[in-house]
Amino acid sequence: MNFLTGLLAQTDSGKSIWDNLVLDEYEIPFGEWADQSVDWIDNNLGWLLDAINWPFDTLIGFLVNDFLAQISWVWVVLGMGLIAALVRNVKVGAFVALALAACGILGNAYWIETARTIGFIGVAVILCVIVGIPIGIAAGRVDAIWQVTRPILDAMQVVHSFVYMLPFIFFWGIGEVSATMVTMVFALPPLIRLTNLGIRQVPADVVEAARSFGAPERRVLFDVQLPLARPAIMTGINQTLLLAISMLGIAAIMGAGGLGRLLFRALSNQDVALAASGGLAFFLVAVVLDRMSQREDTDTGNLWQRIREAWAHRRDPEGLLPDEDEGDAVATFKPEETYAPISPKERLPLFLTLGGGAVAAIAAFLPWTSGAGKISAWGRRADEELVDQTFSGLHASGGSWFGIVVLGLGLFAVAAAVSVYLRPGRGARWLTTDGAALAMFGVFGTALMHVLANKPPLAADPGTGIGVILALVGGLVGTVGGIMWLRVAPHTPFHPLKATVAKGRLIGVAISVVFLLVGALSAWSFDARQDVIISPEIEAQIEELQQRAQENPADAAVIANDIANLLASAQAEDAIILDGITSEGTQLGLWTLLTGILALGTTVPAIGLIRGVNDRRNWVWSAITAGLGAIVALTAFGWIATHVRSADPNFFSGVGSFLTLAGGFFIVASTMSVLKEFRRSQVYEPLPQLAEAEASEDAEAMAGAEA
């Protein structure tokens, strides 16, 4: 024993076994073994690596580089919207198209990376489906395959992606192919697990019944097991998609393109603008793909919540499946639903709303401005040369997005009024009384804000055309009609509202008003056009630097950098920044702030602080509050969208308008919990048993009377 201790305690170098440096004497050459293995595989199994690389490289090259990145963004938006409408429903399809269009108007560079992101995730998920579903089916039908597959899936989910990304980089290099492979390894396990679970959860008696009738195994699989396992398989595809989205950052580190690369570059350069725009596009794409892949009965929860759930259930994705009631279904009688007809009291306000919406829609095609655009001229020099011209509400120098909003909401109000008149209670949810009222609030407020906005400092007066006046009158008539209609329409909630004062709503609207206050005091316009920031002194310095560059071509690069720094400094110091309250600007921030304060006032009766809690009063005042919030949001949206459409380079709408947009949205959102509960009142036919009993009683009564 003493000999063994002495042997272990000493080495040839004289270091004690207790000295950490002795570890260098007994180093296991695992890294060298790995290096030798990689070299051997590269030299002898190149054909296998090429075979594995082929489907990834082919799909990425075709779908991403040759297709999505090359065709017009309009076709991608329309195509994705159509796919979403076919796979899910028209509502999801419209949302998908609008969200992707928003990614496009961030700029061409962002759209190219958006298209690459869609293609990259599409390739990863397609390959996961091709590989994962067959493996899951085999594991669900054969226990031995599941026993082998399960520990492999555990290893794929336990080992960090940074560990297994290295072999892919060794064999296939930095780029989209290796990044797609790593994404596939990370995102594949939930699909295999849930496919296996779905197959195993098919009732054994159903399978045995199919086999007893002579169905071959192919028919048992495709006609019985797969249809019944479809909900679990679709959940697996959705979870695979979410996990693939969460890997885009690591894919960017590995050299993949897409929005992840923009975010990685923004973090590296601390570029706030790039990070914000790239992050918005990333969020929209993630929401779009998530909504397209969800099942109808799981269309709940926001994106971040669903991604957190996907991460939390990486090892047990079956926990994401909804609980289903087992047992025999009991047939119940469902009475025929009929809705309250149009009452005489509703006719006048309905036709006022209808007429107001029609007048507003027509007004969008009439002249709104003359000589220049009242909104567009703030950010476009070309409007200074439009003397003696008139522009409609849809023209860039007319109402622009203010007029487009009036047209859209006016048509919506008309559709809602017609829908209620022809099919009361049976139309789409918002094609009803409160939807029409909200639309007319938006029409009136948008036209009013266009009238109240200060005119730009131009030689030519933009003027106020007959179109915007007519839109204002139509909006006012429709808004009055909408409020009258709310007061008399037979609407009731699905469930009784809480009998307590909803102070949380009041706090939420108050916070929204704070947003509006900060937005009004913040920049609504940021003018850094060269004719604004380049003073005669700066112009002289630039000319001097350009002259030096011509005399000394060797210093041209350094001088060009000096000119760029000079322009950047001038932009930071001399740009004209106007807030939403100052009289030199449009003062739209002031008017939206006052509208928000009015919405705070209407929230008080809506939550029951005045005259107590009452369901119907809550609904009417909540609709009015939502209408005021819509005015705020649409005003900010009109200002932002108009300058996105027509502004000169280096003129931007400021962050104050964005804060105002958010504040208006939050005001509207605070009312949705009440508005979504209300529907047109239903009138139920009596149950057949009750009707028969009443008829029998009447017959007996008549017989007794005759006797």
Side-chain angles (χ1 to χ4, degrees), residues 44 151 175 180 295-296 331 355 411 423 473 549 574 577 602 645 702:
N44 297 279
T180 305
R295 291 163 46 200
E296 291 289 347
L411 293 176
R423 302 178 63 216
V473 173
D574 300 328
I577 302 174
T602 59
R645 178 185 184 183
M702 291 179 62

Side-chain angles (χ1 to χ4, degrees), residues 519-531:
L521 297 175
S522 302
W524 271 63
S525 64
F526 184 89
D527 190 355
R529 290 173 287 189
Q530 288 197 4
D531 59 342

Side-chain angles (χ1 to χ4, degrees), residues 629-653:
I631 293 174
V632 172
L634 291 172
T635 301
F637 171 78
W639 171 262
I640 295 170
T642 296
H643 293 301
V644 168
R645 178 185 184 183
S646 62
D648 294 331
N650 295 325
F651 182 95
F652 310 98
S653 54

Side-chain angles (χ1 to χ4, degrees), residues 139-227:
R141 292 172 61 90
V142 181
D143 290 340
I145 296 178
W146 176 238
Q147 295 301 323
V148 174
T149 304
R150 184 174 182 177
I152 297 175
L153 297 179
D154 292 338
M156 292 168 66
Q157 294 177 303
V158 170
V159 177
H160 196 279
S161 56
F162 276 12
V163 176
Y164 56 72
M165 68 188 291
L166 296 177
F168 292 101
I169 294 176
F170 292 155
F171 295 129
W172 290 281
I174 295 290
E176 293 177 334
V177 171
S178 58
T180 305
M181 293 178 178
V182 171
T183 301
M184 182 176 171
V185 171
F186 181 76
L188 183 60
L191 180 56
I192 297 177
R193 289 182 183 274
L194 286 170
T195 302
N196 163 74
L197 181 66
I199 296 295
R200 290 178 179 273
Q201 282 185 335
V202 175
D205 54 351
V206 176
V207 176
E208 290 301 324
R211 287 171 176 162
S212 66
F213 280 100
E217 288 301 314
R218 178 180 59 82
R219 294 285 305 274
V220 171
L221 174 62
F222 287 99
D223 294 345
V224 178
Q225 290 179 311
L226 285 181

